[in-house]
């Protein structure tokens, strides 16, 4: 983690998505300021709290930027609204796109249920390395 500035070296790290290509695609959206939200299953080990900062890794596991959680809420899959889907920044940013993409994503993990609980997080980009 030598690319990480000293003041961030104690932070937890993660990559978006479930594979190298998706990690790189979503990281690019974050760096361009398009993606300012994300969600995960409520049992995900990388749960966050507002004010917490994270090192975001690319698809090769290299550190690329720092984000800071600004809001964390828990909602069922069907309760995610168009504003949150837009902030996730993926595809055409519509709620329909979000629902289809996340049904597929959580389905690949064997976790999808229409009533599943999600940790919905908004964040801000702090620094790009």
């Amino acid at each position: 983690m030598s690319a990480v500035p000293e003041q961030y070296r104690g932070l937890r790290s993660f990559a978006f998505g479930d594979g190298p290509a998706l990690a790189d695609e979503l990281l690019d959206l974050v760096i361009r300021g398009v993606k300012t939200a994300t969600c995960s299953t409520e049992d995900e080990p990388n749960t966050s709290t507002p004010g917490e900062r994270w090192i975001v890794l690319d698809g090769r596991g290299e550190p690329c930027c720092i984000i800071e959680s600004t809001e964390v809420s828990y909602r069922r899959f069907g309760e995610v609204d168009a504003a949150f889907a837009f902030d996730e920044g993926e595809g055409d940013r519509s709620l329909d796109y979000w629902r289809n993409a996340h049904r597929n994503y959580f389905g690949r993990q064997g976790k999808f249920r229409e009533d599943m609980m999600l940790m919905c997080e908004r964040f801000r980009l702090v620094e790009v390395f």
Side-chain angles (χ1 to χ4, degrees):
M1 288 237 201
S2 61
V4 177
E6 182 68 36
Q7 71 265 31
Y8 302 127
R9 292 202 182 145
L11 299 179
R12 294 192 285 171
S13 63
F14 78 102
F16 287 103
D18 60 354
L22 186 54
D24 288 342
E25 176 185 330
L26 298 177
L27 173 63
D28 179 63
L29 293 174
V30 169
I31 290 172
R32 291 190 293 125
V34 175
K35 181 173 182 63
T36 59
T38 193
C39 69
S40 59
T41 57
E42 66 178 334
D43 63 346
E44 179 73 32
N46 284 334
T47 57
S48 191
T49 56
E52 186 171 5
R53 291 183 172 187
W54 293 83
I55 299 167
V56 182
L57 308 173
D58 67 13
R60 295 177 316 282
E62 296 296 322
C64 293
C65 69
I66 299 293
I67 61 170
E68 180 180 315
S69 299
T70 59
E71 175 187 310
V72 176
S73 63
Y74 290 84
R75 306 179 209 183
R76 299 231 175 256
F77 181 84
E79 296 170 342
V80 171
D81 59 19
F84 189 83
F86 184 85
D87 290 347
E88 279 232 30
E90 300 170 41
D92 66 4
R93 303 180 82 175
S94 70
L95 183 56
D96 283 341
Y97 182 93
W98 184 92
R99 286 184 174 154
N100 288 329
H102 285 79
R103 275 187 188 103
N104 290 333
Y105 175 76
F106 292 121
R108 289 194 302 270
Q109 297 176 1
K111 295 182 175 185
F112 180 75
R113 293 184 339 270
E114 286 291 332
D115 67 342
M116 68 188 301
M117 185 65 75
L118 298 174
M119 181 188 78
C120 298
E121 176 182 358
R122 285 189 164 88
F123 58 84
R124 70 180 187 89
L125 180 62
V126 174
E127 186 172 334
V128 178
F129 310 140

